[in-house]
Amino acid sequence: MSVIILFCLSFLLVEYISWHFKGEKVQKNTQIVMCFLLLFIFFGFRDLPILNDTAHYYRHVRQLFDNTLFDNTPWYTFDSSSNFEEGFQIFLRIIGLVISKEPYSLIVITSFITTASLLWFLNKSTSHVAFAVFVLMTSTLLLGYYSAIRQSLAVSVSYIFYWCYKNKYYKSAIMCGVVAYFFHHSSVMFILPVALYHIPFTRRNILLIMATAIVMSLSIYKILPLLGYGDSKYLVTGMEREAVPLAQLLDTLFILACLLFYYIYGKKYKEEIEKDKLYVSFALSALIVNIWALPCLPLFRFSMFFSQYAVVLFTNSLYQAEADKRLKILKYTVAVILVLRILIVLIYRNEWFHLVPYSFFDFSLEHQKTLFGY
């Protein structure tokens, strides 16, 4: 457990170290390089029991690569009856046929892509990269990006989608949306921030948007069957729950707190970011999707496309607020609260992410155990 806490705190250390360099650009690049190394090593070489889906993907890839027919079929083929999307199947074939037959190569490669794309996004969005990563990690939002491998690839493409749409490269944005969809079908949710982008952000309209989100949340089990998801196993599982999942409630409150903080304390920063309305639309989408997920937990996966935007708004607003001497201690208060949050999760709800005990993958073992009961 201490390993996880030290790992979280290391991002604050990275920020502190970067301050010893002259020039904002050098400081930022230092943070990016050090954050990349920390994230890639920690997640790219994690053991199979770490994070919920790691072992499942490893087991699938091992069976796929060991299949005698694998080498005799073209890289662009896919199985239409598979539960995995076509793009992800082709991605696996490229890894196995071109790069390596080692099943663990999937974990290394996807961790590299996830880390690089996240830091590319943060580099474009904030000067406080290390602190943003710290917030993502201690809020546990970051863990989903490395656990849900197929969706993490779609999330990586979503950053390019945002950039293309923002700069009015609409054909390229549509292409990115299609590519992301073939990695994970949840990418259809790109339509939500795009729709919000075309609505004037007056106080009245935002209240109406939130009211609509709440009404849809209360009616979610009537809406989903109309969209063709009536026989989904995830829908059935969600309906069997008698109470709101604690993890989802915490995530929703966290995103709400981020946006409220941005609204109250952003001030000058808010004036700048509102020139990029699409960014705020993505952040607002995070809150909407989390509200939908309160009664139907599987919908929380949609928030992986949007939560990082809310975190960046919060991070930048926090540093703006810090300029006020009365709020100087605010950043350290936030850091303490977030560390306590992940500490409590690790102690009482480790089954949410399976981070403890942390260990690295042992490449020397000839046969890897992949069944851990989750």
Side-chain angles (χ1 to χ4, degrees):
M1 187 181 306
S2 58
V3 172
I4 308 301
I5 300 301
L6 288 173
F7 177 70
C8 294
L9 294 175
S10 67
F11 295 104
L12 298 181
L13 179 61
V14 166
E15 182 180 54
Y16 176 76
I17 292 172
S18 71
W19 290 343
H20 289 76
F21 294 92
K22 292 184 178 180
E24 184 177 324
K25 186 175 181 181
V26 177
Q27 292 177 357
K28 190 175 182 179
N29 289 339
T30 301
Q31 291 185 30
I32 291 171
V33 171
M34 295 181 74
C35 285
F36 177 85
L37 292 174
L38 284 168
L39 289 171
F40 179 59
I41 293 171
F42 185 86
F43 288 109
F45 297 94
R46 65 187 184 269
D47 204 356
L48 298 183
I50 307 302
L51 300 182
N52 298 339
D53 293 339
T54 306
H56 298 287
Y57 278 106
Y58 179 91
R59 184 168 62 251
H60 172 80
V61 173
R62 185 172 64 186
Q63 292 170 352
L64 177 69
F65 289 177
D66 287 344
N67 192 315
T68 54
L69 297 176
F70 182 80
D71 291 326
N72 300 320
T73 51
W75 63 268
Y76 51 83
T77 58
F78 57 86
D79 180 6
S80 58
S81 64
S82 172
N83 291 329
F84 290 159
E85 290 81 356
E86 297 85 348
F88 184 70
Q89 292 185 53
I90 293 173
F91 179 74
L92 291 181
R93 297 194 66 79
I94 292 173
I95 291 176
L97 293 173
V98 179
I99 300 175
S100 172
K101 279 289 189 66
E102 165 56 54
Y104 196 81
S105 58
L106 172 69
I107 310 300
V108 176
I109 292 170
T110 54
S111 295
F112 181 91
I113 293 172
T114 299
T115 304
S117 61
L118 173 66
L119 291 174
W120 179 82
F121 162 75
L122 293 177
N123 180 42
K124 297 283 186 182
S125 305
T126 180
S127 298
H128 316 289
V129 174
F131 192 81
V133 175
F134 167 79
V135 175
L136 285 168
M137 181 64 196
T138 50
S139 65
T140 68
L141 295 174
L142 188 65
L143 303 178
Y145 300 140
Y146 290 95
S147 178
I149 289 177
R150 283 150 47 225
Q151 192 171 2
S152 72
L153 294 171
V155 170
S156 296
V157 177
S158 76
Y159 299 136
I160 306 174
F161 169 86
Y162 160 78
W163 185 86
C164 289
Y165 200 92
K166 170 190 171 183
N167 291 285
K168 299 183 179 180
Y169 300 133
Y170 297 125
K171 291 182 180 179
S172 298
I174 292 172
M175 188 179 302
C176 287
V178 171
V179 171
Y181 180 81
F182 282 109
F183 277 108
H184 204 275
H185 292 337
S186 62
S187 304
V188 296
M189 197 50 64
F190 288 4
I191 196 171
L192 177 58
V194 170
L196 293 175
Y197 175 67
H198 295 284
I199 299 174
F201 276 175
T202 62
R203 182 176 299 181
R204 176 179 175 274
N205 284 350
I206 290 176
L207 289 175
L208 284 173
I209 290 168
M210 289 296 98
T212 303
I214 292 171
V215 170
M216 290 180 67
S217 178
L218 296 173
S219 309
I220 200 70
Y221 290 111
K222 295 180 180 178
I223 295 173
L224 289 177
L226 297 177
L227 299 176
Y229 294 100
D231 58 348
S232 168
K233 64 179 180 179
Y234 298 110
L235 178 61
V236 174
T237 302
M239 292 179 70
E240 291 174 350
R241 290 184 176 272
E242 296 180 355
V244 173
L246 178 59
Q248 183 54 42
L249 180 60
L250 290 174
D251 284 350
T252 305
L253 291 174
F254 176 72
I255 296 298
L256 176 61
C258 286
L259 293 178
L260 285 176
F261 191 92
Y262 157 71
Y263 181 78
I264 296 170
Y265 292 108
K267 297 180 182 177
K268 181 180 177 182
Y269 168 67
K270 185 164 58 176
E271 295 173 5
E272 296 173 3
I273 197 67
E274 283 179 349
K275 296 175 183 176
D276 185 0
K277 187 182 171 187
L278 184 62
Y279 203 100
V280 181
S281 299
F282 269 77
L284 190 59
S285 297
L287 180 58
I288 293 171
V289 170
N290 274 284
I291 290 173
W292 291 346
L294 286 171
C296 186
L297 184 60
L299 295 180
F300 87 94
R301 283 184 174 265
F302 291 137
S303 68
M304 286 177 57
F305 294 108
F306 313 126
S307 295
Q308 54 274 51
Y309 293 84
V311 167
V312 169
L313 289 182
F314 168 71
T315 299
N316 288 342
S317 299
L318 182 63
Y319 278 81
Q320 282 285 334
E322 198 182 25
D324 187 334
K325 292 181 180 179
R326 295 171 298 176
L327 300 173
K328 196 72 176 177
I329 197 173
L330 192 58
K331 177 181 146 184
Y332 302 102
T333 304
V334 167
V336 170
I337 292 172
L338 288 173
V339 169
L340 288 175
R341 182 190 192 279
I342 193 170
L343 182 61
I344 292 171
V345 169
L346 294 176
I347 294 173
Y348 296 105
R349 288 291 187 271
N350 185 50
E351 68 273 13
W352 287 353
F353 305 106
H354 297 99
L355 274 178
V356 178
Y358 181 84
S359 56
F360 286 110
F361 184 76
D362 187 352
F363 288 93
S364 66
L365 293 179
E366 190 170 334
H367 182 74
Q368 298 287 343
K369 179 183 176 183
T370 60
L371 296 174
F372 302 102
Y374 52 87

